[in-house]
Amino acid sequence: MKLYCLSGHPTLPCNVLKFKSTTIMLDCGLDMTSTLNFLPLPLVQSPRLSKLPGWVLKDGNTFLDKELKECSGHVFVDSAPEFCLPETELLDLSTVDVILISNYHCMMALPYITEYTGFTGTVYATEPTVQIGRLLMEELVNFIERVPKAQSASLWKNKEVQRLLPAPLKDAVEVSTWRRCYTMPEVNAALSKIQLVGYSQKIELFGAVQVTPLSSGYALGSSNWIIQSHYEKVSYVSGSSLLTTHPQAMDQASLKNSDVLILTGLTQIPTANPDGMVGEFCSNLAMTVRNGGNVLVPCYPSGVIYDLLECLYQYIDSAGLSNVPFYFISPVANSSLEFSQIFAEWLCHNKQTKVYLPEPPFPHAELIQTNKLKHYPSIHGDFSNDFKQPCVVFTGHPSLRFGDVVHFMELWGKSSLNTVIFTEPDFSYLDALAPYQPLAMKCVYCPIDTRLNFIQVSKLLKEVQPLHVVCPEQYTQPPPTQSHRTDLMIDCQPPAMSYRRAEVLTLPFKRRYEKIEIMPELADSLVPLEIKPGISLATVSAVLHTKDNKHVLQPPPKPAQPPASKKRKRVSDDAPECKPLKPLLSGSIPMDQFVQTLEKHGFSDVKVEDTAKGHIVLLQEAETLIQIEEDSTHIICDNDETLRVKLRDLVLKFLQKF
Amino acid sequence: MDRECSQLLPSVCAVLGDSRQLVADDTFLEKFLDWFKTLTETESSLLLLRENPCLTELITCVLKLKDPSSSTLSFILRLTGIFAASESCFQYLQQRELLISLFGEVGPLSSALWEEASVRSGWVQGVHSMVQHQSALHFLYNCGAIDVIFTLQGDPSLFVASAANQLLVHMLTFSLQSFQTKPVNIKDCDWPICAQKLIVHIEESLKSNSASRIKQSLKLLTSVFGCCHDLWTEVLWSRLSEPIVYLLEEEPVHTGHLLVDLFLSMARSPVFSCPECSLWRSVTCALEHLNPAQVGRLAVGVLKLQEWYEFPQAVRIQALSVVLQPMDCVLKAASQPLEYPGLLNKSVNDSATVETLLSCRSSCASFLCQTLAHLEELQYLTCLPVDLPHIPLLQSVVTILQFCIGLATPASCLGNKISRILIGCFRVQRSALDSLGALSHWESHSVFMGSVFDILLAYLKSPDTSPTVLKKSFQATLKWLVSLSEAPSSKDHWQQTEQFLRDLFLVLQKRLCSPYWEVRDSALEFLTLLVKHLREKEGFRQVLFSSEVPKLTEDLLEDPESYVRASAVTAMGQLSFLTHLISKKPGLENGNVKEKSIVAQLKEILSTDSEGFPRRAVIRVFIDWLREGHPDVLKDTEQFVSSMLQAVNSDLDWEVKAGGLELAEVFSAQTLGRLGLAACPYAAVLSSATRSTHLSESLQIFCRVKLFEFLFGALCDCDRPVAQKACDILIALKAELRDESSLKEGTSAGLSTEARGIAWLEETLRRWSSCAKPCPRGDADEAGSQDPDGVLLVLRTVDLEGLHRSLNRSSDHIEKSPQSLLQDILATVGTLEENEADCY
């Protein structure tokens, strides 16, 4: 059993598991942090960004000044943003049989895999994952395509050139594999390969293994996966949450008794408690608005935004913010808000019960009805007519490199009254802000990551008790910035196996058993013999038939096949034909009784020596040795066949035959 | 006993002695016993029994019952015990062989009812009451009751066991206290026989292998040494010290906490205060041998003993080491060797045990909390006989707080374990913040101020700080700021404090906007106290008003949560003193405008807020303003008070009304004081003419603000505290306004009730009470048209003192009387009979 690790990002995993005869890809997350190296794509012509000076090498060489621009001491690539794909060279991805998706954030690289690698298999995901994943991809494509960049920078990627660049460009990894964003037709083609599944649904893969999605509590439709055969069980835990937010609660019980548990997608900010952060978010928002400033919340169009809107729904009246407009701007804003209301069966219990009242499960419906929350596909069109300040704007993309957020950063960045509140934990907020420096607006970092933290993980592992844990290497040591926090790592026995990008792990686990069915007529012919209370044995002669990874024992074909009998004849020259099946022997020989028996049969000078493996019985007069060990008995005598047979029969008296 | 009761008593006794008539509610019996306990304290018990033969009959009758109920039997045992406490009565009962039948071997002791815990408890309590004279002791000794009590010490019912133990304590101390001879000697042992029996029993128990017997004896001794400080206790200790010290040497010590209790109780007794006393050797031994988690209490107890106690300083130093040792371990766990010398000069023997306790998840938090609580206790002692190493102690508390939020870098394996256990541990956070606050007392702290400010800010800022921990953080911050501002060296480190205040107000600003009301509320409470204590500091005022905090506080007057509104009101009340000071300065012109609007806002809250808390807060603020002479009140005090009284009068909340009365009280005292009429013994005596003029002036003022209308209105209030307070104020005013001369003049002018008639009085009061109710603005003048002479007359006429007496009686004073109790017992029985009839 092997695990190919194609991504180094612990929360955007992409691993391939070879288990029995199947090749299963677990998630295909897309690492978008590479986009932080690029200049933002402004929706409206930005004089500031367009006038940035080109970057010049120390020796005055200007050959990169078209590709690289300098802004507040940082260097950015002036090109359409590119993404860091999962490793494609580690194994032939066309051999992947299935892809299992755990949540909508972990499927963003799907078009790159399904459309470029010769992949011919099936992708499994739940319905909300597919629908919201589609929205995220659609938004991404839209954000990038609506600001076309004529030029594509490639000179800087040359290894020799890259060495000369300042950090972080100099240290960027695998730049040659960075790709531009996919297109909508590719997204559609990729999504068409998905087969929808429901929680706890059992899916057979080629008869060899069975895969099952389980609720993971993190996002709408998010799943952990169980991959099991008859005798082995692998659990894949990715992006799970034990907090009571909007999705259905996590199913922990089904993860019990796993041989291997692959653990990814823990919280990215283990020191930030989501409850505290929500409080922080609300306080900062209220403070800014009370002082007449605007609040910008860079976010994804689905996920935590639902919970934030719910908190604000309860908070705005008490904070005296009833008259402050909330805007949600995204090409998929409308679909996201509406989708969230129709996936009732995927929601937490509280929200499910609301549906029967009947009430919309999320209170943002009421915010929209009362005109407190307004949503627009983009800043163009209706929004520009309705726009009132001070206000709160939720918009993408959290990297601040593309999407409507770029416009608001340019618009509000100069005033210290305004605040940008970062709630998505995927991007370093300081890096995200770099191309906007110098910035007067206040920046608040309230990362809300509801995924498991290390305390929860340690409780989970105690509860489900897997034999082995496999996880990204980041989880096996404290975070680099807080090396004293030994509580921020996975602590389990035996220690977790760790992996890093482009590594192949041989999982510490050997398959021992295989299930074989016996045909009824063959089973009828068996005569079990009880050798110990509760244990019966029977010998079976049959033909093993294997097809589609299923094994069946069928009755043997009729004998008297000429070639077979010929063969046997040759082998069994000494043995009579009537004994093709010698009886099997079992039991142990009690030495005292055996010696007594020997003496009874006239062997007077019996000596017994103990050896490491058993005993040696010496018959000195007959110059004969009987070696008795746990699994073999040898009679060594000097060509005296009669004596041998006599001794053999005496030995056999003590053993059971069947 | 009054006549009515003696008449009712026979029928009550008949009911109680009748096994068919069950008294369902046994609280009656308890009240009955309480009544007799009080009666026997004031009257002769023997007389009581002789005059009420039904009582003796009741005892006899219950004894004769074949199958008495356990509650009745228990009651009789206790009742007899109460009577037998008097020696004459004891003889009386003994002559009738009642005592032996009740407390002897043939009584309830041998009946099946002894299985009932209530009967055993009644027996023990009866005996306890009885042991007030030697005869009782002899009787108990002779009838074998003492052995019964020994058995009851291990009774399955904890109540009985504890009562038996207390009884033995009482018997021992009583028998020895009443044994008046020369100083007792252990060798010739001529102690009373009963005491000897008890001591032999204790000694045997201590030497036995039975854990429960040892525990009982230790508890017993703890009580004996705790309640009796006679010289014989020293002899007792010298006899019993050997087996007790032996208990200390056991491995492991099972009775640690009981030994701690015993030593603490002994240490507090002056009998053992001499430095040569063997007790201190045992205490030293206990401090060394007992588990550090148990012995902390003993160490603190020893340190808390007054300085005049002459016990060895070495014990104090050792006790201090015990308390400091966990802190030393924590400090070392987070600092490199040699970086810090530690809290203790020499390593204490048992540091391994302390480290084990700290590295174990189940014990670490509670052990630290206990140590921190002990340290906090020590900080508040006025004089500590040993020197505390304040700076290292402060450093260790800060280290614990750092561990709790993951800021401390562990320097050892123990540090790693502590860190993992403490991160996010609210209990330890709360205790450590309390200790940190307590440490602010010491002058030496300024050296370490930076670290304290840093850790406080970290807690105040962290979004993960729970509301309760945040509250503690605020409290600690307040203590530090107040003590820093009071320190003689406060000017030297003002710059640092100012920077801290700037950061603090930024945090406070955010906390005032928190979505959790508890947080907003604590933040406002903190702000109120901060302003109250630091408002004299110019620098503080500047930092405060350069922040957004005052504006946000004002916004919170409209908070949807009533508690928060109330706290915002209180905070604004304090802030308004400052805004006034600030507004005096040029460049802050709008301060005055703002101030007006605050008064208006508070008045609006008082008259319109639907919840009681904010309204109560407003009235409290106004009382403070009036008391402290708030500029806005001083502008037109009469108008201010008049409008307040009117607003309060229509309020339905009794606390608001009580607040209004306090306001009226303050106002009247101020008015009288200003005119030299206050009853101050040192005030210059006014001439009678001046006094009379001033009196009439003050009366006119009171009439203008409609004070009497308000007070008499409140006097008729349906809430007793309101009426009581109004009555108190009126009585005080009546005394203050008594003026001999005017009285004479008044009488001559026909100002008497007789002259005006009772109808006039009724009419006046009716008119006042109708005027006191809110009325349209136009009628204000008419409503205020009180006649000062009339007021005086009413004050003189109404029997305020009588009213005061009746108001002071609680509403159930009739129900509490013994007569009512007896009637109730009879009535209950009657009801039971009726119910029986109903069943047919």
Side-chain angles (χ1 to χ4, degrees), chain B residues 18-36:
Chain B
D18 186 348
S19 62
R20 287 167 306 155
Q21 292 185 331
L22 274 177
V23 178
D25 182 1
D26 59 4
T27 54
F28 285 142
L29 300 179
E30 297 297 328
K31 286 179 186 169
F32 198 77
L33 286 172
D34 286 345
W35 178 45
F36 272 98

Side-chain angles (χ1 to χ4, degrees), chain A residues 273 280 291 315 318 484-486, chain B residues 406 408 420 423 464 510 513:
Chain A
N273 164 20
E280 196 80 353
N291 288 332
Y315 178 62
S318 72
H484 66 282
R485 293 290 299 265
T486 50
Chain B
R420 292 181 75 104
I423 288 178
D464 291 341
K510 202 172 66 187
C513 292

Side-chain angles (χ1 to χ4, degrees), chain A residues 50-77:
Chain A
S50 55
K51 281 183 195 155
L52 289 176
W55 184 73
V56 183
L57 267 79
K58 274 181 194 159
D59 59 6
N61 200 329
T62 58
F63 77 104
L64 283 168
D65 70 342
K66 290 276 181 302
E67 288 198 354
L68 303 180
K69 302 284 176 191
E70 198 168 350
C71 174
S72 305
H74 289 83
V75 176
F76 297 96
V77 182

Side-chain angles (χ1 to χ4, degrees), chain A residues 138-152:
Chain A
E138 213 177 299
E139 189 195 55
L140 184 67
V141 172
N142 187 310
F143 280 161
I144 291 175
E145 285 185 352
R146 71 185 176 183
V147 190
K149 274 264 179 185
Q151 66 161 349
S152 183

Side-chain angles (χ1 to χ4, degrees), chain B residues 80-148:
Chain B
T80 315
I82 290 172
F83 288 127
S86 134
E87 195 157 5
S88 53
C89 211
F90 175 85
Q91 308 295 354
Y92 174 86
L93 291 168
Q94 212 176 14
Q95 281 159 17
R96 281 157 186 73
E97 293 190 339
L98 290 177
L99 289 178
I100 193 77
S101 328
L102 275 170
F103 297 102
E105 280 175 7
V106 289
L109 258 175
S110 52
S111 81
L113 274 175
W114 191 250
E115 293 301 310
E116 295 282 332
S118 63
V119 173
R120 298 197 299 277
S121 167
W123 188 90
V124 173
Q125 287 182 49
V127 172
H128 199 128
S129 309
M130 190 196 304
V131 181
Q132 303 296 337
H133 42 79
Q134 290 296 331
S135 317
L137 274 183
H138 290 306
F139 163 73
L140 292 171
Y141 184 83
N142 293 332
C143 75
I146 294 182
D147 291 320
V148 178

Side-chain angles (χ1 to χ4, degrees), chain A residues 271-280 282-284 286-287 290-291 315 317-319 455 482 484-489 491, chain B residues 405-410 416 419-420 423 461-464 506 509-510 512-516 520 548 551-552 555-556 559-560:
Chain A
T271 48
N273 164 20
D275 280 341
M277 285 300 152
V278 169
E280 196 80 353
C282 290
S283 310
N284 282 298
M287 244 169 22
R290 278 183 174 164
N291 288 332
Y315 178 62
D317 286 332
S318 72
I455 298 172
Q482 287 167 300
H484 66 282
R485 293 290 299 265
T486 50
D487 58 317
L488 303 181
M489 55 187 269
D491 180 21
Chain B
I405 50 171
L407 287 179
T409 315
N416 270 324
S419 168
R420 292 181 75 104
I423 288 178
K461 268 184 193 167
S462 165
D464 291 341
L506 279 179
Q509 205 173 316
K510 202 172 66 187
L512 289 174
C513 292
S514 165
Y516 312 110
R520 299 198 296 275
E548 298 286 328
K551 185 180 166 291
L552 282 173
D555 287 350
L556 289 177
D559 198 276

Side-chain angles (χ1 to χ4, degrees), chain A residues 52-223:
Chain A
L52 289 176
W55 184 73
V56 183
L57 267 79
K58 274 181 194 159
D59 59 6
N61 200 329
T62 58
F63 77 104
L64 283 168
D65 70 342
K66 290 276 181 302
E67 288 198 354
L68 303 180
K69 302 284 176 191
E70 198 168 350
C71 174
S72 305
H74 289 83
V75 176
F76 297 96
V77 182
D78 187 9
S79 149
E82 294 179 343
F83 305 113
C84 178
L85 269 53
E87 204 67 40
T88 48
E89 306 295 321
L90 200 60
L91 84 161
D92 180 2
L93 292 180
S94 67
T95 61
V96 171
D97 297 315
V98 290
I99 302 179
L100 308 180
I101 303 293
S102 56
N103 63 66
Y104 45 77
H105 286 299
C106 291
M107 62 184 279
M108 296 299 279
L110 198 60
Y112 293 119
I113 306 289
T114 57
E115 307 311 303
Y116 289 94
T117 61
F119 171 78
T120 52
T122 315
V123 183
Y124 290 100
T126 62
E127 193 185 355
T129 303
V130 179
Q131 296 300 354
I132 297 172
R134 177 195 296 277
L135 295 182
L136 291 180
M137 291 178 179
E138 213 177 299
E139 189 195 55
L140 184 67
V141 172
N142 187 310
F143 280 161
I144 291 175
E145 285 185 352
R146 71 185 176 183
V147 190
K149 274 264 179 185
Q151 66 161 349
S152 183
S154 55
L155 275 177
W156 72 276
K157 290 187 184 174
N158 183 309
K159 274 193 177 163
E160 294 306 310
V161 177
Q162 200 195 351
R163 275 196 301 132
L164 304 172
L165 303 180
L169 278 177
K170 183 174 68 176
D171 308 319
V173 287
E174 314 269 343
V175 288
S176 57
T177 64
W178 290 11
R179 291 279 172 277
R180 297 182 72 155
C181 187
Y182 35 69
T183 60
M184 253 347 261
E186 284 165 352
V187 170
N188 290 330
L191 295 181
S192 69
K193 297 186 172 71
I194 298 183
Q195 193 169 321
L196 298 182
V197 288
Y199 288 150
S200 304
Q201 183 183 332
K202 295 184 166 68
I203 304 136
E204 284 281 334
L205 300 184
F206 319 114
V209 296
Q210 198 180 52
V211 293
T212 313
L214 305 171
S215 173
S216 77
Y218 166 57
L220 276 177
S222 68
S223 345

Side-chain angles (χ1 to χ4, degrees), chain B residues 298-511:
Chain B
L298 178 62
V300 174
V302 166
L303 288 170
K304 277 166 72 181
L305 290 175
Q306 295 299 316
E307 207 171 356
W308 50 263
Y309 262 71
E310 289 177 11
F311 68 90
Q313 182 71 1
V315 179
R316 288 194 177 111
I317 292 172
Q318 198 192 0
L320 186 66
S321 317
V322 167
V323 183
L324 293 181
Q325 202 175 4
M327 306 304 282
D328 188 56
C329 280
V330 170
L331 200 51
K332 282 181 181 153
S335 33
Q336 298 303 325
L338 303 178
E339 180 191 351
Y340 177 69
L343 269 162
L344 302 169
N345 294 334
K346 55 166 192 164
S347 61
V348 179
N349 317 343
D350 215 10
S351 67
T353 326
V354 172
E355 283 177 15
T356 318
L357 281 169
L358 286 176
S359 57
C360 172
R361 190 169 281 277
S362 59
S363 58
C364 177
S366 50
F367 183 45
L368 273 182
C369 284
Q370 188 190 317
T371 307
L372 287 163
H374 288 154
L375 282 171
E376 192 195 348
E377 221 174 315
L378 292 184
Q379 301 305 314
Y380 289 118
L381 290 182
T382 44
C383 59
L384 198 62
V386 280
D387 288 332
L388 269 182
H390 288 115
I391 296 293
L393 194 55
L394 192 56
Q395 212 165 354
S396 63
V397 174
V398 169
T399 307
I400 290 181
L401 285 168
Q402 286 172 337
F403 268 128
C404 288
I405 50 171
L407 287 179
T409 315
S412 64
C413 178
L414 175 67
N416 270 324
K417 284 182 186 161
I418 294 179
S419 168
R420 292 181 75 104
I421 297 169
L422 290 190
I423 288 178
C425 179
F426 294 156
R427 262 175 75 203
V428 177
Q429 288 178 0
R430 285 195 292 262
S431 302
L433 284 164
D434 279 342
S435 298
L436 185 68
L439 279 164
S440 67
H441 280 299
W442 303 90
E443 174 62 18
S444 55
H445 54 228
S446 49
V447 188
F448 202 60
M449 216 166 66
S451 322
V452 174
F453 284 163
D454 287 347
I455 195 71
L456 284 172
L457 269 180
Y459 272 78
L460 293 170
K461 268 184 193 167
S462 165
D464 291 341
T465 304
S466 83
T468 51
V469 175
L470 182 72
K471 204 174 163 87
K472 295 274 182 197
S473 312
F474 278 138
Q475 285 168 355
T477 309
L478 181 73
K479 282 183 183 156
W480 274 87
L481 283 173
V482 171
S483 93
L484 278 174
S485 72
E486 285 166 357
S489 57
S490 68
K491 274 186 189 151
D492 303 343
H493 39 69
W494 174 250
Q495 217 175 354
Q496 204 178 356
T497 313
E498 191 178 291
Q499 184 50 48
F500 173 69
L501 281 173
R502 278 184 211 290
D503 295 338
L504 177 68
F505 286 131
L506 279 179
V507 175
L508 206 56
Q509 205 173 316
K510 202 172 66 187
R511 294 295 186 182

